[in-house]
């Protein structure tokens, strides 16, 4: 039967080709000619099918938006995401971040997040709105989890910056905006909480212009504020939106209220004027005094937003279910699709030359692993696909490690839930199981050797000694630390060489406390912690020469190595913290010993002699030396380097550097005096003090060493009404008296251990 089916198909093809006008008419089609035409026909049709599929996928990319929601703590990011998921039909009931029903918001899937009412890990989800696919990443607001914001913004095409209409532009809003600028992410702003007492969106808009240097204007005007907030007027379409139904799911469109026409006209003129400053097309219409239609204005706002020259400002209250649907429309209208964003890779075969990725699904696969998570079924790797297609069962190449891996399972994430898919294409955010890699690794299909630029990882500022209470749980304890270190690049684990203690380092007290709590909950290991330790550093302040001969004879082959040169300070804030230069002319030291000399100096710089902390911002220059034909060895030169560094270190006038934190304190004005007095007592430097209604906003630079327990002290000083945020600013030299005190403590600790 199969044979007869094949022969009938052959007859059909023969008839088709012999009757084809493209064949020569004077002779019957030979089997060879028929075979050739058949091959050309099938090859051409396959190419056409592939081309058609590529065009379809390219068109579908126009309807994809990859966005992140970022803001200061308690601005309403997770609440906003919850409403977006509800209105797009991804969830069917709304739960609050600090809800009494014990369920909590969908995107806060960890028990700790629900208990504390904060977001700890960024969570990915996707939804559909008006035929568009929107991939969303909800990020934490607390500065201790800043890496979650960094890695989300690294892979996103657009973002929503949420601002509180009462709090305005706060310290973390500035940090998040700086991160968005670093990754060149186009954004829209959403002024939330218009239903709260003291809401003033126009004050917040002015703050965004002055503090964030945003070129921005409102695209909406609120109807009423605080408890009278009813709806919004769209300045582009000149329509009124009212939100009805138990959860504001019914959007009613109406005309602009008569009593608001003057305000709406004024604000629309301001919007047109602001966009005209950065968009030439609109400027021509504006200067020619021609009427500007809604579509003209909409297109101009889109162009300016994607070019990162303008930030459209939306308004509403996520908690009271008002203004979320127009914001979603704004995401589709003004934020870019994956093909409208320029993404670059580095070609490893061509001296890391920058290559612009097309974002096309038909190109070679290029994907970045931006986040790792330990799931129930093994390691879950979040991928952003920049080009090409990835399919379940495909073999992919990890360019960073050189390994070839199979994709056993491909999923789309909805917070902590997964949906299995067969393939994903450029522009999508997906997750794969069973692929061993690190954060920041690049995957391709093997036809190209491209790597994506990695994300900015801040240095840890605080350390804590931690140990399991029971000796039997050591295996689980180290398993937990290894996993967390792999997941979070700002979480480091080390061993104190002197005390033998396990030291964990992170971005702050809360960051480390959360990980200790996760060890207890997720691995059932009780751990006790030592006093938090500040990550001090040491640095030299002047040039110093060294000339050291390491000579040892103990029968048999001895050790001989002489190194000469100098050390000098690098400028503070240099990209590299240690530099080694070989300035030897000739062969005073054979070249095969130079790496051992560099290794020795690097090892010596790991522990300064003042307080035993690493030495940074130092350049070592090797100018001369001597070797022995028999006794010189790598070990001899390495030891010579270590002793040479110690010899010249004190002559280079070393200083201790401590981490300085940028602290933003907000307290009722009546407590301002006692709070500023306490900051001075902590050796803090007040750099700003603004009145914000009944509150005082104090900005200060305070040494981290003086910030332990500050939250408790601030609460007791302000009857629980004060709040503060802090983030790492820089390492700077400590005063002489503090340095002497730290050195005495270090000597006393060393003496007690001997």
């Amino acid at each position: 039967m199969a044979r007869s089916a094949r022969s009938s198909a052959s007859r059909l093809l023969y008839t088709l080709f012999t009757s084809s006008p493209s064949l020569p008419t004077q002779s019957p089609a030979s089997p060879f000619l028929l075979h050739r035409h058949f091959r050309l026909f099938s090859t051409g049709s396959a190419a056409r099918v592939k081309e058609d599929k590529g065009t379809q996928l390219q068109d579908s990319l126009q309807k994809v938006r990859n966005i992140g929601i970022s803001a200061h703590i308690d601005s309403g990011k997770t609440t906003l995401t919850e409403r977006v998921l509800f209105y797009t039909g991804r969830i069917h009931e709304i739960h609050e971040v600090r809800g009494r029903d014990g369920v909590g918001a969908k995107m806060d899937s960890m028990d700790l997040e629900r208990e504390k009412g904060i977001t700890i890990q960024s969570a990915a989800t996707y939804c559909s709105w008006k035929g568009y696919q929107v991939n969303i990443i909800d990020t934490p607001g607390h500065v201790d989890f800043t890496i979650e914001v960094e890695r989300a913004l690294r892979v996103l095409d657009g973002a929503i910056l949420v601002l509180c209409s009462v709090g305005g532009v706060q310290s973390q809003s500035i940090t998040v905006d700086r991160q968005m600028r670093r990754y060149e992410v186009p954004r829209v702003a959403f002024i939330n909480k218009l239903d709260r007492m003291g809401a003033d969106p126009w004050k917040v808009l002015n703050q965004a212009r002055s503090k964030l240097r945003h070129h921005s204007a409102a695209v909406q005007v609120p109807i009423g504020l605080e408890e009278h907030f009813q709806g919004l007027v769209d300045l582009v379409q000149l329509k009124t939106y009212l939100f009805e139904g138990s959860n504001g799911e019914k959007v009613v469109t109406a005309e602009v209220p008569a009593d608001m026409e003057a305000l709406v006209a004024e604000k629309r003129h301001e919007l047109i004027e602001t966009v005209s400053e950065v968009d030439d097309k609109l400027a021509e219409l504006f200067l020619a005094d021609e009427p500007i239609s809604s579509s003209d204005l909409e297109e101009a706002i889109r162009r300016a937003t994607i070019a990162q020259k303008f930030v459209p400002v939306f308004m509403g209250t996520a908690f009271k279910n008002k203004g979320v649907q127009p914001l979603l429309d704004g995401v589709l209208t003004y934020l870019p699709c994956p093909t409208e964003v320029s993404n670059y890779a580095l070609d490893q075969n061509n001296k890391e030359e920058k290559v612009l990725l097309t974002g096309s699904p038909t190109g070679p696969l290029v994907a970045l692993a931006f986040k790792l998570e330990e799931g129930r079924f093994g390691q879950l790797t979040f991928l952003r696909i920049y080009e090409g297609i990835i399919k379940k069962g495909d073999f992919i190449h990890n360019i960073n490690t050189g390994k070839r891996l199979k994709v056993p399972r491909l999923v789309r994430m909805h917070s902590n839930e997964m949906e299995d898919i067969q393939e994903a294409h450029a522009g999508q955010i997906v997750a794969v199981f069973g692929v061993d890699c690190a954060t920041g690794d690049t995957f391709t299909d093997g036809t190209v050797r491209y790597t994506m630029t990695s994300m900015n990882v801040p240095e840890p500022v605080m350390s804590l000694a931690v140990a399991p209470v029971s000796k039997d749980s050591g295996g689980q304890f180290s398993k937990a630390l290894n996993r967390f270190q792999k997941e979070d690049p700002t979480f480091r684990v080390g061993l104190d060489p002197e005390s033998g203690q396990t030291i964990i380092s992170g971005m702050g007290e809360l960051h480390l406390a959360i990980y200790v709590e996760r060890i207890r909950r997720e691995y059932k290991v009780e751990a006790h912690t030592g006093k938090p330790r500040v990550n001090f550093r040491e640095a030299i302040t002047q040039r110093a020469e060294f000339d050291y001969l390491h000579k040892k004879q103990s029968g048999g082959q001895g050790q001989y190595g002489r190194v000469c040169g100098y050390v000098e300070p690098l400028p503070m804030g240099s990209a590299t913290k240690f530099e080694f230069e070989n300035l030897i002319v000739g062969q005073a030291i054979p070249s095969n010993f130079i790496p051992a000399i560099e290794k020795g100096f690097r090892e010596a710089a790991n522990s300064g002699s003042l307080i035993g902390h690493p030495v940074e911002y130092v350049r070592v220059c090797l100018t001369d030396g001597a070797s022995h034909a028999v006794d010189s060895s790598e070990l001899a030169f390495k030891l010579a380097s270590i002793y040479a560094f110690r010899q010249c270190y004190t002559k280079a006038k070393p200083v201790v550097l401590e981490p300085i934190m940028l602290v933003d304190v907000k307290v009722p004005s009546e407590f301002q005096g006692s709070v500023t007095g306490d900051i001075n007592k902590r050796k803090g430097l007040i750099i700003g003090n603004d009145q914000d209604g009944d509150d005082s906003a104090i900005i200060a630079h305070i040494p981290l060493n003086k910030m332990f327990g500050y939250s408790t002290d601030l609460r007791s000083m302000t009857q629980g009404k004060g709040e503060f945020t802090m983030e790492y600013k820089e390492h700077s030299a400590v005063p002489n008296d503090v340095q002497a005190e730290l050195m005495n403590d270090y000597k006393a600790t060393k003496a007690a251990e001997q």
Side-chain angles (χ1 to χ4, degrees):
M1 189 175 170
R3 195 182 293 126
S4 66
R6 274 200 301 274
S7 61
S8 59
S10 304
R11 279 198 302 275
L12 177 67
L13 282 167
Y14 183 84
T15 311
L16 177 70
F17 279 102
T18 50
S19 60
S20 170
S22 63
L23 290 175
T25 50
Q26 62 269 32
S27 62
S30 69
F32 170 75
L33 191 60
L34 177 64
H35 176 69
R36 181 169 163 270
H37 271 264
F38 178 55
R39 203 174 63 224
L40 286 170
F41 172 76
S42 56
T43 309
S45 61
R48 269 199 303 277
V49 168
K50 191 178 177 186
E51 195 178 305
D52 290 347
K53 190 182 178 188
T55 310
Q56 280 175 357
L57 289 173
Q58 199 78 25
D59 291 344
S60 71
L61 278 180
Q62 304 295 320
K63 296 206 162 190
V64 173
R65 297 289 181 273
N66 293 315
I67 62 161
I69 299 179
S70 302
H72 185 84
I73 308 152
D74 270 350
S75 295
K77 298 176 298 298
T78 305
T79 305
L80 176 61
T81 313
E82 190 81 355
R83 298 306 183 273
V84 166
L85 295 178
F86 178 73
Y87 297 133
T88 56
R90 288 296 287 136
I91 58 174
H92 303 294
E93 52 186 15
I94 290 171
H95 295 283
E96 301 312 331
V97 174
R98 289 191 176 91
R100 292 177 191 160
D101 55 7
V103 178
K106 177 71 194 171
M107 302 305 281
D108 286 347
S109 56
M110 280 171 65
D111 292 340
L112 266 171
E113 292 180 316
R114 289 174 177 174
E115 282 171 29
K116 293 181 179 288
I118 59 170
T119 304
I120 293 169
Q121 287 187 327
S122 58
T125 187
Y126 65 95
C127 57
S128 296
W129 181 250
K130 296 186 177 178
Y132 284 72
Q133 187 192 324
V134 184
N135 295 312
I136 303 171
I137 297 182
D138 174 31
T139 60
H142 204 288
V143 71
D144 282 25
F145 311 109
T146 189
I147 188 63
E148 294 290 333
V149 186
E150 287 278 350
R151 56 177 158 208
L153 292 174
R154 169 66 185 82
V155 298
L156 292 171
D157 304 324
I160 300 172
L161 175 66
V162 183
L163 301 168
C164 174
S165 64
V166 181
V169 174
Q170 294 158 286
S171 59
Q172 192 63 12
S173 315
I174 298 168
T175 304
V176 165
D177 189 70
R178 195 185 308 129
Q179 289 169 321
M180 289 177 183
R181 282 180 201 275
R182 182 183 298 136
Y183 297 112
E184 297 179 351
V185 178
R187 53 206 173 278
V188 299
F190 179 65
I191 299 177
N192 194 17
K193 304 191 180 184
L194 290 187
D195 59 312
R196 275 185 57 187
M197 281 284 286
D200 186 350
W202 307 114
K203 175 198 80 174
V204 180
L205 178 56
N206 288 329
Q207 282 183 351
R209 287 167 176 166
S210 59
K211 290 186 177 181
L212 302 176
R213 301 190 311 283
H214 276 184
H215 191 78
S216 58
V219 292
Q220 294 171 337
V221 172
I223 303 171
L225 285 173
E226 300 176 355
E227 71 267 27
H228 305 298
F229 176 55
Q230 296 165 1
L232 298 158
V233 177
D234 187 327
L235 297 176
V236 179
Q237 304 295 341
L238 289 175
K239 286 178 186 170
T240 296
Y241 296 124
L242 301 168
F243 305 90
E244 295 177 0
S246 55
N247 290 312
E249 65 274 13
K250 198 174 166 195
V251 183
V252 179
T253 309
E255 293 302 311
V256 178
D259 60 339
M260 289 187 69
E261 281 177 356
L263 176 66
V264 167
E266 180 201 325
K267 293 295 179 187
R268 191 173 197 267
H269 185 269
E270 186 186 310
L271 171 65
I272 292 168
E273 201 173 342
T274 310
V275 179
S276 299
E277 289 171 21
V278 290
D279 186 80
D280 296 340
K281 244 182 181 176
L282 192 71
E284 282 175 28
L285 295 173
F286 180 64
L287 293 170
D289 231 4
E290 289 182 27
I292 293 169
S293 68
S294 298
S295 59
D296 290 335
L297 182 53
E298 194 176 272
E299 285 165 16
I301 294 172
R302 179 175 174 77
R303 285 192 299 269
T305 305
I306 292 172
Q308 297 155 58
K309 293 176 179 174
F310 179 71
V311 180
V313 178
F314 291 79
M315 301 182 187
T317 164
F319 185 64
K320 291 287 173 69
N321 315 308
K322 290 174 184 172
V324 178
Q325 296 96 323
L327 173 65
L328 269 171
D329 292 338
V331 165
L332 308 185
T333 309
Y334 302 129
L335 290 181
C337 70
T339 54
E340 291 173 306
V341 178
S342 298
N343 290 303
Y344 292 92
L346 304 174
D347 188 350
Q348 297 304 312
N349 288 338
N350 197 8
K351 297 179 181 173
E352 294 203 345
E353 191 184 324
K354 270 178 110 177
V355 180
L356 177 65
L357 298 176
T358 59
S360 162
T362 53
L365 173 70
V366 180
L368 174 71
F370 68 93
K371 178 176 159 69
L372 307 180
E373 223 174 78
E374 196 68 33
R376 287 165 294 176
F377 311 106
Q379 183 177 299
L380 186 64
T381 306
F382 286 77
L383 293 179
R384 161 69 200 267
I385 307 167
Y386 286 97
E387 200 167 308
I389 292 179
I390 187 169
K391 293 179 183 174
K392 182 183 172 181
D394 273 0
F395 282 94
I396 55 175
H397 293 252
N398 185 333
I399 300 302
N400 300 64
T401 63
K403 287 181 183 171
R404 184 169 177 257
L405 309 150
K406 189 176 182 179
V407 180
R409 192 176 169 198
L410 193 63
V411 294
R412 276 201 300 188
M413 298 302 296
H414 176 41
S415 185
N416 59 339
E417 294 170 13
M418 292 161 232
E419 179 196 318
D420 278 281
I421 53 174
Q422 293 304 309
E423 68 172 46
H425 58 77
Q428 292 189 320
I429 292 171
V430 292
V432 292
F433 269 110
V435 171
D436 186 38
C437 67
T439 302
D441 283 0
T442 306
F443 292 98
T444 74
D445 55 9
T447 57
V448 290
R449 288 194 70 241
Y450 291 167
T451 55
M452 302 300 293
T453 51
S454 60
M455 63 209 77
N456 177 62
V457 178
E459 284 294 310
V461 294
M462 190 179 283
S463 297
L464 203 62
V466 61
V469 172
S470 159
K471 291 241 165 69
D472 302 338
S473 52
Q476 284 292 90
F477 178 70
S478 55
K479 193 176 169 185
L481 293 182
N482 286 337
R483 172 194 155 186
F484 296 145
Q485 198 174 3
K486 205 172 181 185
E487 283 182 11
D488 183 352
T490 58
F491 179 75
R492 312 273 170 88
V493 180
L495 204 66
D496 188 324
E498 288 159 9
S499 64
Q501 289 178 306
T502 300
I503 306 292
I504 57 172
S505 306
M507 301 307 295
E509 278 180 285
L510 179 66
H511 191 209
L512 297 177
I514 290 287
Y515 276 118
V516 171
E517 182 64 14
R518 284 184 68 187
I519 291 170
R520 187 178 71 78
R521 290 188 184 205
E522 294 172 33
Y523 289 87
K524 307 288 184 282
V525 176
E526 292 290 340
H528 54 71
T529 56
K531 182 180 176 286
R533 198 184 74 166
V534 173
N535 286 354
F536 290 103
R537 293 286 180 264
E538 296 184 27
I540 58 172
T541 56
Q542 66 181 39
R543 177 174 155 151
E545 313 277 337
F546 60 82
D547 182 349
Y548 189 86
L549 170 64
H550 176 67
K551 192 176 178 184
K552 200 172 179 186
Q553 204 69 45
S554 55
Q557 187 182 343
Q559 290 179 9
Y560 184 95
R562 182 184 174 199
V563 287
C564 310
Y566 60 89
V567 293
E568 62 182 6
L570 287 166
M572 284 290 178
S574 294
T576 53
K577 294 177 180 179
F578 179 93
E579 280 183 20
F580 175 81
E581 271 189 75
N582 176 19
L583 302 177
I584 294 178
V585 179
Q587 283 287 314
I589 299 174
S591 56
N592 58 311
F593 293 133
I594 302 297
I597 294 171
E598 182 178 350
K599 196 175 176 186
F601 278 115
R602 279 187 187 276
E603 206 170 288
N606 278 338
S607 176
S609 58
L610 296 182
I611 58 170
H613 281 259
V615 183
E616 290 187 345
Y617 305 117
V618 61
R619 179 193 282 124
V620 178
C621 296
L622 185 68
T623 55
D624 200 3
S627 64
H628 189 277
V630 177
D631 291 349
S632 285
S633 65
E634 288 188 357
L635 176 66
F637 275 107
K638 183 182 166 186
L639 291 170
S641 307
I642 292 170
Y643 295 133
F645 187 83
R646 289 177 187 167
Q647 178 199 57
C648 70
Y649 188 60
T650 46
K651 291 187 281 181
K653 297 239 173 112
V655 292
V656 175
L657 307 177
E658 65 180 341
I660 302 294
M661 308 305 282
L662 176 67
V663 183
D664 190 336
V665 190
K666 202 167 192 180
V667 294
S669 297
E670 67 259 34
F671 303 112
Q672 184 184 345
S674 53
V675 170
T676 49
D678 181 70
I679 288 171
N680 291 328
K681 210 162 65 182
R682 292 172 190 271
K683 296 192 162 66
L685 174 68
I686 295 170
I687 56 165
N689 192 342
D690 295 327
Q691 272 314 107
D692 186 3
D694 297 334
D695 292 339
S696 282
I698 304 161
I699 299 170
H701 293 162
I702 310 176
L704 176 62
N705 204 28
K706 303 288 183 184
M707 286 300 290
F708 294 124
Y710 185 62
S711 54
T712 312
D713 294 348
L714 183 66
R715 281 191 202 112
S716 60
M717 276 186 288
T718 60
Q719 298 169 8
K721 294 172 188 171
E723 57 180 49
F724 80 102
T725 57
M726 72 174 181
E727 60 179 289
Y728 168 73
K729 187 180 181 294
E730 62 187 1
H731 269 78
S732 71
V734 301
N736 289 338
D737 58 328
V738 176
Q739 183 163 317
E741 192 183 313
L742 288 168
M743 287 170 68
N744 290 336
D745 289 348
Y746 176 65
K747 282 174 190 164
T749 310
K750 286 201 80 170
E753 284 169 3
Q754 285 169 358

